[in-house]
Amino acid sequence: MKANIKSKVPLIFLIVVSLWWWFYYASSNAFNGFGAEKHEWLFMLDTLLVLPILCFICEDDKQKALLKFAMLCSSAVFIGSVIIPEQNKVLFQYLESGRYVVLAIVLLLELTAVITVVLAVRGLLAINEDPDIALQKPIDNMLGTSALSTLLQFEGRVWTFALLASHIKPMAYAGEYHFFYDKKDGARSNLVGFLALMVIELPLVHLLIHFLCSSTAANIVTGLTLFGLVFFFAEYKAVGKRPISISGNNIIVRYGLYPSLTIPVHNIAAISANTGFIKRSRYIKRFNYAGVPNVEILLHEPMNGRKAIYLGVNSPCRFIHCVKQVKTKDSFF
């Protein structure tokens, strides 16, 4: 089985069993003794026993498997709380109470990210270090290189640019040449538009859900929307601060809050301007906010299964020219 399909098996399994058990609990038929036998343990067996086993079978990286297991099982508990009838919940009501533990863990991760940001930026201001490295060092020292440390680094970038963007200087990032993408097809303007829409609809949606559903549901949706606002605000700030750089014989692609991607120049088969629409593909990686990408990079050897990388930058001709110069020097030596 292909790796990208194999990694999606646990999620597909959760969707399929959730639909089946929703039908089982919501209907009255021969499967459930015409409504008399709606046992909670049937759903729990699939989602809390079979699902974790699938996570560890389908993921080679055990840390990533553990993270996927935690996320999918938490989702399964939420789904079960909705589809299982209240009168049939015996053990499941204790699992539902566990949502407060999950919330405490999420808040702890957020607090850890914020504290890391403050310490990292303080060190950055003292020694003028690359902001990405300043965030990566303390997290890797604490957790090592893992899926969780990658997640916390992303959280760190969110809070860095949301709270302390004015302290970040683009020229502090590693690289001899820096290129930006904030003006390409109005990238920053589009982000401002998203922010404005979210701010306008926030109180309206809160009131609507409050009256149509419940105050708890309204508070959950509002909380998620507020976090989305923080993310988009941080993305808006990062677009103008975090550059794509040429450092030595490498291209370091930093795009908004995305994790950086390092492309060795010697692995570039061809680089050219692009003017056409690029469809999504498992073999292609796109870094572009609006319009079509204007730079095409073809690789000799695939990186993470990607054979081509497409970028959207403010000045594509200058970027292509600089990369070709570096590639020529690299080939010469």
Side-chain angles (χ1 to χ4, degrees):
M1 187 183 294
K2 293 183 178 179
N4 61 329
I5 298 175
K6 186 179 177 182
S7 66
K8 294 181 175 65
V9 167
L11 176 59
I12 295 170
F13 176 78
L14 176 60
I15 293 170
V16 171
V17 298
S18 297
L19 290 172
W20 162 248
W21 292 120
W22 167 78
F23 170 75
Y24 173 84
Y25 292 119
S27 63
S28 179
N29 52 58
F31 292 110
N32 56 25
F34 297 97
E37 301 174 356
K38 297 183 179 181
H39 305 298
E40 62 174 356
W41 62 268
L42 294 170
F43 178 79
M44 294 170 65
L45 186 67
D46 274 341
T47 57
L48 301 181
L49 180 62
V50 179
L51 182 60
I53 293 172
L54 280 177
C55 288
F56 284 96
I57 290 175
C58 296
E59 284 289 350
D60 296 327
D61 186 336
K62 298 310 175 188
Q63 288 185 328
K64 189 180 291 186
L66 184 63
L67 184 61
K68 182 174 287 188
F69 150 69
M71 293 176 64
L72 292 181
C73 286
S74 297
S75 301
V77 171
F78 172 75
I79 293 168
S81 68
V82 174
I83 67 174
I84 299 175
E86 288 297 326
Q87 65 271 21
N88 297 105
K89 293 177 182 176
V90 179
L91 296 175
F92 210 87
Q93 59 185 333
Y94 297 106
L95 290 176
E96 289 179 332
S97 300
R99 64 183 180 270
Y100 298 110
V101 176
V102 175
L103 179 61
I105 292 172
V106 171
L107 290 176
L108 180 62
L109 288 175
E110 291 294 330
L111 182 61
T112 303
V114 172
I115 292 172
T116 302
V117 165
V118 173
L119 296 176
V121 171
R122 182 182 296 175
L124 166 67
L125 294 175
I127 61 176
N128 199 35
E129 192 173 15
D130 183 318
D132 281 0
I133 302 300
L135 277 172
Q136 182 182 351
K137 279 183 178 178
I139 294 174
D140 282 354
N141 289 340
M142 181 170 56
L143 298 173
T145 303
S146 65
L148 182 58
S149 66
T150 301
L151 177 63
L152 278 179
Q153 286 174 41
F154 177 79
E155 288 288 323
R157 282 193 295 275
V158 170
W159 290 109
T160 295
F161 287 100
L163 301 175
L164 301 161
S166 61
H167 297 279
I168 305 297
K169 297 178 181 177
M171 296 303 114
Y173 286 95
E176 295 80 47
Y177 304 98
H178 299 296
F179 301 88
F180 295 88
Y181 39 89
D182 55 326
K183 298 176 183 177
K184 196 265 178 188
D185 291 317
R188 294 194 85 190
S189 300
N190 289 335
L191 288 170
V192 170
F194 277 115
L195 285 168
L197 286 173
M198 292 176 74
V199 170
I200 292 169
E201 62 89 21
L202 180 61
L204 300 175
V205 171
H206 180 88
L207 289 174
L208 185 65
I209 296 176
H210 177 84
F211 289 112
L212 292 180
C213 191
S214 68
S215 59
T216 301
N219 291 334
I220 291 172
V221 171
T222 298
L224 292 173
T225 305
L226 286 173
F227 182 77
L229 271 171
V230 172
F231 170 80
F232 275 108
F233 180 72
E235 186 83 353
Y236 167 75
K237 290 291 187 178
V239 163
K241 296 276 189 176
R242 206 162 171 254
I244 297 171
S245 305
I246 298 176
S247 178
N249 293 325
N250 295 312
I251 300 172
I252 305 174
V253 181
R254 310 179 190 92
Y255 220 82
L257 298 172
Y258 283 102
S260 60
L261 173 67
T262 300
I263 308 171
V265 171
H266 65 77
N267 194 31
I268 296 176
I271 180 169
S272 60
N274 176 72
T275 57
F277 174 74
I278 304 300
K279 295 192 298 183
R280 291 184 184 275
S281 169
R282 72 183 67 153
Y283 305 113
I284 289 173
K285 181 67 176 176
R286 303 183 303 178
F287 293 95
N288 187 60
Y289 281 112
V292 298
N294 50 24
V295 175
E296 177 188 56
I297 299 175
L298 303 179
L299 304 175
H300 286 297
E301 295 293 332
M303 297 178 61
N304 299 322
R306 310 302 171 90
K307 299 178 181 178
I309 296 167
Y310 290 85
L311 306 176
V313 296
N314 292 349
S315 42
C317 293
R318 178 171 166 263
F319 176 75
I320 292 169
H321 176 72
C322 287
V323 172
K324 286 182 176 179
Q325 278 191 322
V326 173
K327 186 171 174 58
T328 300
K329 291 179 183 178
D330 182 63
S331 299
F332 180 76
F333 289 106

